[in-house]
């Protein structure tokens, strides 16, 4: 380990090193005694509350009303049968809602924060909910603080406490004195706040509901549940349909009551009409699809923090991605060094080294030594780990490694100075060593390099960057005493040389980038690297040729100029995190739907502003993850592309399901409405609607949610976010498909009615096969067979794209076929089992009526598929 860490006006180094923290056993006892470090959240809704919520929905309210009316009229059998069906529909809905809630709860568990504590003298990473009072909590830049505590050690510590105070300006924090027993010593830190700079050590004093944020009663880990744009669109559509239904139902009650004088049966018929017409399944699919889709995204390596992002995934038109760790493997290796024999002038020879040279010459020792000293003593960053590894390989037997030195001051990387400096205490004397590393141009400024030297070294940077190396420069200085300057610029730095690191491209990136281009998604690589390095990586990744925008150029541009520039830019280099926000806003101003990746504290504003903010799960900070909509488990760009594919699949299946729902309600409404208009006996009773609900609900949710992605899902341009999910064209197509099924149902009804009422026969041979039907109950059974076959036809027709029906049959969806088979099987049970047949007013059928009813239903498959093809051919822009 390279030295130890202490800070000015804080605890001594020796005191920190003696902290053992709680033992693991004691921590477990406290966790069991006091409970987990979690703020009480709304519990899962109890069954009675879920039941109450369901009964508020129009469909269930109508079903319960109808069953009570049957019982009131004295028809106990039909009333109880309808009640059984109501319970079955409730059970199915309970199952669907429960599956949805379990998916969201699983996501919430996956996005739990972590904490770093000292226990039994060991540093441990544990779930934040396991932190207990008395723990020693290690704090690092970007962390969300897990519990309230008292600072014992602080190093340039700044905390964003806007969650509690509303103030966006970070607060500087000071540590305790040596008297650690006093609860009044040292500033306090609070659970839920974020560290924006520095490091620290805190003694935990309150957890869970006993923390300040717990007392306020906020919950920081809930997923967002606000109404989505799709839900708002659908709510407007349902309101329009509900208004029409109310008018129709009132008309039906008045007409039938006036015509027959039987008002209660008229009310039952109007209830059947209302249930047949209202597409209440929309609320089901708009809840289930995003929730199960979010769960499905986890298998693609993407965690969903905000369900609303599911809607936007398929509409992304520009994907702004980091380079390091997202396009590359984030496995840094030092592959080039460059030093000068005479650093004071521009003259002299630049010496280079590469790993092929087994021996590291003495000329390079100081460069590697100070690169290590300018890094964290216990490195986490892969780049700093590479410096330490190089030092252990080549400097282990030299005087250039300093395990006994103490880090006494740091100057962090900032937007104004893209370099960091460390001040080291070498012994008890006043002399201090200062080491700096950072962007070559920043270190040149620190060294106050003259123009000729700057020109020579800039040329060397270009040569090394052209090989795709990540470039850093290193410098050193000396200082006396502890009265350190406010800025690293005030040290007298000496230039040491350049270090080039290789970070290999992930092997799957070129294919993922090519898939984005095919899908009409423009990829912009954003990096803090040198422009030449960034362009090499962009070429390796397969990004198209385009302009390279640097941070300095960006700052000099107006918003209009930046918008024009970004339209032809593929690489943004030397970009600071705060500049990402301006890039996002400029792209959004031109109408693009922007996804932005990020991992640091300063990336949070850009992640929040983007349509889809994507944080890194492995190397990302808590701040970035809190601001993001999605979190990449493996930090891999290819996972983003897989997520977009899943998002497009979810949206496509949602459209198919909504088209199906609208279409299937057309024949059901027709069966309820036409007999009333024509003065015929009603075919459809509330009991039948309950039976159909048991067919429609699993069809629209389970069957379509499990539909595999279309083969061309990533070959289509991003969808237009301004276009409605279920627009006029889709409504017209669904209405046409529904009329196709209604026509088949009408054909079956005419054949059956003519058969039993007039003795109409197809020939003498048909009598042996049970033709003609003998009663209206036989005809009703035939009509429902046709309707169930028509339901299957609508599922199959809406699974397929226009002209690709036969292709769609080869795409496996066992769930859809199971739903169709079970629906037909249950109907046959209802027809042939007397206990169900009597209340449903069905009669058992002989083979020929069954075959004719099925054949009529298959006609609807042909006509609906043909209509879909014609609609796509002659109105290609209306769907």
């Amino acid at each position: 380990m390279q030295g130890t860490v202490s800070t000015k006006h804080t605890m001594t180094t020796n005191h920190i090193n003696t902290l053992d923290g709680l033992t693991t056993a004691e921590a477990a006892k406290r966790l069991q005694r006091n409970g987990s470090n979690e703020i009480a959240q709304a519990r899962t809704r109890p069954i009675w509350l879920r039941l109450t919520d369901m009964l508020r929905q129009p469909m269930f309210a109508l079903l319960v009303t109808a069953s009570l009316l049957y019982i009131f009229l004295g028809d106990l059998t039909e009333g109880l049968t309808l009640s059984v069906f109501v319970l079955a529909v409730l059970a199915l809905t309970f199952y669907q809602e429960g599956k949805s809630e379990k998916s969201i709860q699983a996501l919430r568990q996956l996005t739990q924060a972590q904490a770093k504590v000292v226990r039994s003298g060991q540093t441990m990473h544990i779930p934040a909910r396991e932190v207990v009072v008395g723990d020693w909590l290690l704090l690092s830049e970007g962390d969300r603080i897990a519990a309230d505590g008292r600072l014992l050690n602080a190093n340039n510590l700044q905390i964003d406490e806007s969650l509690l105070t509303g103030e966006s300006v970070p607060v500087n924090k000071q540590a305790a004195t040596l008297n650690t027993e006093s609860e009044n010593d040292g500033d306090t830190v609070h659970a839920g706040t974020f560290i924006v700079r520095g490091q620290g050590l805190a003694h935990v004093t309150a957890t869970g509901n006993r923390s300040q944020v717990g007392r306020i009663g906020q919950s920081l880990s809930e997923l967002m549940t606000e109404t989505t744009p799709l839900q708002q669109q659908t709510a407007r559509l349902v309101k329009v349909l509900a208004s029409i239904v109310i008018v129709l139902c009132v008309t039906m009650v008045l007409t039938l009551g006036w015509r027959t004088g039987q008002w209660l049966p008229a009310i039952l018929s109007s209830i059947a009409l209302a249930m047949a017409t209202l597409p209440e399944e929309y609320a089901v699919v708009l809840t289930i699809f995003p929730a199960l889709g979010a769960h499905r995204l986890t298998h693609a390596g993407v965690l969903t923090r905000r369900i609303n992002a599911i809607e936007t995934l398929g509409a992304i038109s520009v994907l702004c991605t980091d380079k390091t760790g997202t396009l590359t493997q984030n496995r840094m290796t030092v592959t080039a060094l460059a030093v000068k024999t005479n650093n004071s002038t521009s003259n002299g020879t630049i010496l280079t080294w590469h790993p092929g040279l087994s021996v590291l010459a003495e000329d390079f020792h100081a460069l590697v030594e100070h690169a290590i000293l300018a890094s964290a003593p216990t490195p986490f960053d892969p780049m700093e780990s590479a410096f330490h590894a190089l030092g252990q390989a080549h400097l282990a037997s030299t005087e250039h490694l300093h395990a006994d030195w103490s880090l006494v001051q740091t100057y962090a990387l900032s937007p104004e100075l893209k370099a960091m400096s460390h001040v080291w205490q070498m012994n008890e004397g006043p002399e201090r060593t200062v080491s700096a590393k950072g962007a070559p141009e920043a270190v040149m400024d620190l060294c106050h390099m003259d123009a000729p030297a700057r020109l020579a070294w800039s040329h060397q940077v270009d040569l090394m960057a052209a090989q795709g190396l990540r470039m850093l420069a290193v410098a050193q200085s000396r200082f006396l005493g502890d009265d350190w300057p406010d800025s690293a610029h005030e040290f007298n730095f000496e230039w040491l040389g350049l270090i080039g690191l290789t970070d290999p491209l992930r092997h799957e990136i070129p294919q993922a980038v090519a898939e984005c281009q095919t899908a009409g998604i423009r990829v912009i690589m954003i990096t803090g690297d040198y422009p030449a390095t960034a362009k090499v990586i962009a070429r390796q990744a397969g990004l198209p040729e385009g302009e390279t925008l640097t941070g300095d150029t960006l700052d000099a541009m107006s918003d209009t100029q930046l918008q024009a520039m970004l339209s032809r830019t593929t690489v943004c280099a030397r970009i600071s995190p705060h500049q990402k926000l301006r890039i996002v806003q400029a792209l959004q101003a031109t109408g693009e739907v922007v996804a932005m990746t990020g991992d640091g504290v300063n990336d949070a504003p850009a992640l929040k502003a983007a349509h889809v903010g994507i944080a890194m799960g492995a190397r990302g900070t808590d701040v970035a993850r809190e601001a993001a909509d999605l979190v990449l488990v493996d930090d891999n760009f290819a996972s983003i592309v897989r997520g977009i594919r899943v998002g497009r699949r979810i949206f496509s299946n949602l459209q198919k399901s909504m088209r199906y729902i609208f279409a299937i309600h057309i024949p059901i409404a027709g069966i309820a409405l036409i007999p009333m208009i024509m003065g015929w006996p009603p075919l459809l009773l509330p009991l039948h609607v309950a039976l159909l609900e048991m067919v429609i609900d699993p069809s629209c949710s389970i069957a379509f949610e499990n539909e595999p992605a279309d083969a061309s899902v990533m070959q289509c341009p991003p969808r237009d976010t301004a276009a409605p999910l279920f627009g006029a064209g889709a409504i017209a197509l669904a209405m046409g498909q529904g009329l196709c099924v209604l026509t088949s149902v009408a054909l079956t009804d005419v054949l059956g009615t003519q058969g039993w009422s007039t003795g109409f026969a197809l020939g003498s041979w048909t009598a042996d096969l049970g033709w003609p039907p003998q009663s209206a109950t036989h005809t009703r059974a035939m009509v429902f067979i046709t309707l169930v076959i028509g339901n299957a036809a609508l599922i199959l027709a809406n699974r397929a794209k226009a002209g690709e029906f036969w292709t769609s049959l080869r795409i496996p969806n066992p769930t859809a076929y199971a739903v169709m088979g079970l629906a037909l099987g249950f109907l046959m049970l209802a027809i042939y089992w007397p206990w169900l047949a009597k209340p449903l007013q069905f009669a058992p059928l002989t083979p020929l009526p069954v075959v004719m009813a099925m054949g009529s239903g298959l006609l609807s498959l042909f006509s609906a598929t043909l209509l879909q093809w014609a609609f796509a051919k002659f109105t290609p822009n209306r769907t």
Side-chain angles (χ1 to χ4, degrees), residues 89-226:
V89 174
L90 281 173
L92 180 61
T93 307
F94 262 61
Y95 167 75
Q96 292 172 334
E97 277 197 356
K99 192 173 181 181
S100 174
E101 289 186 0
K102 285 181 180 178
S103 296
I104 293 176
Q105 184 61 34
L107 290 172
R108 187 175 288 123
Q109 293 298 324
L110 287 170
T111 55
Q112 287 290 330
Q114 297 288 306
K116 187 159 62 173
V117 298
V118 177
R119 288 180 180 172
S120 302
Q122 301 293 321
T123 299
M124 305 173 63
H125 289 269
I126 63 172
R129 64 179 179 273
E130 296 180 8
V131 173
V132 297
V133 172
D135 265 329
W136 302 107
L137 191 62
L138 294 171
L139 310 175
S140 301
E141 181 176 309
D143 287 351
R144 184 179 70 183
I145 298 176
D148 287 3
R150 181 169 52 90
L151 271 178
L152 304 177
N153 178 258
N155 182 14
N156 295 331
L157 191 64
Q158 291 184 337
I159 297 180
D160 177 359
E161 296 185 340
S162 58
L163 175 73
L164 300 174
T165 65
E167 295 292 336
S168 60
V169 178
V171 179
N172 291 304
K173 293 290 184 177
Q174 298 296 325
T177 64
L178 295 180
N179 180 18
T180 60
E181 299 302 318
S182 172
E183 292 296 327
N184 296 321
D185 278 347
D187 287 342
T188 56
V189 294
H190 299 290
T193 58
F194 294 102
I195 302 170
V196 297
R197 178 171 292 185
Q199 299 84 33
L201 176 71
H203 178 237
V204 175
T205 57
T207 60
N209 289 333
R210 293 171 292 279
S211 66
Q212 184 168 341
V213 73
R215 291 194 297 269
I216 294 173
Q218 295 188 11
S219 175
L220 300 177
S221 59
E222 281 191 354
L223 295 169
M224 301 296 286
T225 56
E226 64 264 22

Side-chain angles (χ1 to χ4, degrees), residues 92-417:
L92 180 61
T93 307
F94 262 61
Y95 167 75
Q96 292 172 334
E97 277 197 356
K99 192 173 181 181
S100 174
E101 289 186 0
K102 285 181 180 178
S103 296
I104 293 176
Q105 184 61 34
L107 290 172
R108 187 175 288 123
Q109 293 298 324
L110 287 170
T111 55
Q112 287 290 330
Q114 297 288 306
K116 187 159 62 173
V117 298
V118 177
R119 288 180 180 172
S120 302
Q122 301 293 321
T123 299
M124 305 173 63
H125 289 269
I126 63 172
R129 64 179 179 273
E130 296 180 8
V131 173
V132 297
V133 172
D135 265 329
W136 302 107
L137 191 62
L138 294 171
L139 310 175
S140 301
E141 181 176 309
D143 287 351
R144 184 179 70 183
I145 298 176
D148 287 3
R150 181 169 52 90
L151 271 178
L152 304 177
N153 178 258
N155 182 14
N156 295 331
L157 191 64
Q158 291 184 337
I159 297 180
D160 177 359
E161 296 185 340
S162 58
L163 175 73
L164 300 174
T165 65
E167 295 292 336
S168 60
V169 178
V171 179
N172 291 304
K173 293 290 184 177
Q174 298 296 325
T177 64
L178 295 180
N179 180 18
T180 60
E181 299 302 318
S182 172
E183 292 296 327
N184 296 321
D185 278 347
D187 287 342
T188 56
V189 294
H190 299 290
T193 58
F194 294 102
I195 302 170
V196 297
R197 178 171 292 185
Q199 299 84 33
L201 176 71
H203 178 237
V204 175
T205 57
T207 60
N209 289 333
R210 293 171 292 279
S211 66
Q212 184 168 341
V213 73
R215 291 194 297 269
I216 294 173
Q218 295 188 11
S219 175
L220 300 177
S221 59
E222 281 191 354
L223 295 169
M224 301 296 286
T225 56
E226 64 264 22
T227 304
T228 70
L230 293 186
Q231 290 172 328
Q232 293 169 3
Q233 288 181 20
T234 308
R236 288 193 294 269
L237 175 63
V238 172
K239 285 180 180 178
V240 172
L241 293 176
S243 301
I244 297 173
V245 168
I246 290 172
V247 173
L248 289 176
C249 289
V250 171
T251 303
M252 173 175 276
V253 171
L254 295 176
T255 302
L256 291 182
W258 175 76
R259 181 186 295 168
T260 64
Q262 299 180 353
W263 292 96
L264 284 177
I267 292 174
L268 283 172
S269 296
S270 69
I271 290 175
L273 175 63
M275 291 191 296
T277 309
L278 276 176
E280 58 88 25
E281 297 84 5
Y282 282 149
V284 176
V285 299
L286 286 174
T287 300
I288 288 178
F289 273 56
L292 297 185
H295 188 68
R296 198 181 295 279
L297 276 173
T298 61
H299 299 295
V302 182
L303 301 183
T304 306
R305 283 192 48 77
R306 293 177 176 84
I307 293 294
N308 294 6
I310 301 293
E311 292 183 18
T312 317
L313 267 177
I316 292 171
S317 59
V318 176
L319 177 52
C320 299
T321 177
D322 291 332
K323 177 184 75 69
T324 303
T326 306
L327 295 177
T328 63
Q329 297 178 19
N330 202 23
R331 295 178 180 174
M332 297 286 187
T333 305
V334 177
T335 52
L337 301 175
V339 297
K340 207 166 196 179
T341 55
N342 182 4
N343 290 307
S344 61
T345 70
S346 59
N347 299 321
T349 304
I350 294 178
L351 302 178
T352 59
W353 173 90
H354 58 83
L357 302 173
S358 57
V359 178
L360 185 67
E362 180 67 30
D363 297 281
F364 300 97
H365 286 192
L367 175 65
V368 178
E369 173 189 4
H370 285 276
I372 295 172
L373 289 172
S375 303
T378 305
F380 173 76
D381 182 89
M383 180 175 59
E384 296 185 344
S385 297
F387 297 155
H388 279 262
L390 183 65
Q392 290 298 322
H394 294 282
L395 303 181
S397 59
T398 72
E399 73 282 3
H400 295 285
L401 295 182
H402 310 286
D404 56 335
W405 288 11
S406 296
L407 179 61
V408 292
Q409 173 69 327
T410 63
Y411 294 87
L413 192 78
S414 68
E416 296 77 25
L417 181 61

Side-chain angles (χ1 to χ4, degrees), residues 460-506:
Q460 183 64 32
V461 170
D462 290 337
L463 291 176
M464 298 172 71
Q467 303 171 41
L469 302 181
R470 182 171 187 177
M471 301 304 304
L472 285 178
V474 180
Q476 68 166 342
S477 180
R478 297 283 178 172
F479 190 78
L480 291 177
D482 293 333
D483 190 15
W484 306 309
D486 294 332
S487 169
H489 272 291
E490 298 179 39
F491 291 113
N492 185 24
F493 279 108
E494 174 191 357
W495 176 274
L496 292 177
L498 297 171
I499 298 181
L501 299 102
T502 300
D503 186 9
L505 194 75
R506 294 179 185 265

Side-chain angles (χ1 to χ4, degrees), residues 544-741:
E545 291 295 328
E547 299 283 347
T548 298
L549 174 66
T550 64
D552 291 340
T553 305
L554 184 152
D555 285 338
M557 286 182 168
S558 67
D559 290 343
T560 303
Q561 290 172 327
L562 180 58
Q563 292 166 18
M565 180 67 178
L566 286 174
S567 66
R568 54 183 188 275
T569 297
T570 55
V571 175
C572 297
R574 281 292 187 251
I575 297 296
S576 298
H578 73 280
Q579 293 173 319
K580 286 186 174 183
L581 176 60
R582 195 168 172 218
I583 291 173
V584 168
Q585 291 170 336
L587 289 168
Q588 290 174 331
T590 60
E592 303 285 5
V593 178
V594 183
M596 171 68 77
T597 67
D599 56 6
V601 174
N602 294 329
D603 289 332
L607 293 174
K608 194 80 173 177
H611 294 101
V612 180
I614 305 171
M616 303 298 110
R619 71 178 192 276
T621 60
D622 287 341
V623 178
R625 285 191 285 265
E626 289 288 330
D629 303 292
L630 306 175
V631 178
L632 293 186
V633 175
D634 56 3
D635 296 0
N636 192 341
F637 176 84
S639 296
I640 303 176
V641 180
R642 289 195 295 269
I644 292 174
R645 172 185 284 274
V646 173
R648 289 190 173 194
R649 168 192 173 180
I650 293 167
F651 196 85
S652 173
N653 289 346
L654 189 56
Q655 286 182 310
K656 294 174 182 178
S657 177
M658 296 187 77
R659 197 164 58 228
Y660 157 81
I661 291 170
F662 196 93
I664 192 61
H665 278 275
I666 298 296
I668 297 175
I671 294 172
L673 189 59
I674 292 175
M676 180 205 74
I677 296 173
M678 302 301 296
W680 300 337
L683 267 176
L684 194 66
L685 302 174
L687 197 59
H688 299 127
V689 178
L691 174 64
L692 291 171
E693 280 297 310
M694 297 178 63
V695 174
I696 297 172
D697 273 3
S699 298
C700 68
S701 56
I702 300 174
F704 282 104
E705 201 282 325
N706 282 277
E707 181 68 17
D710 295 329
S712 60
V713 70
M714 291 298 283
Q715 297 172 4
C716 304
R719 67 177 180 85
D720 182 4
T721 53
L725 168 70
F726 196 54
I731 291 175
L733 175 59
M735 186 174 291
Q737 290 179 331
L739 289 173
C740 290
V741 176

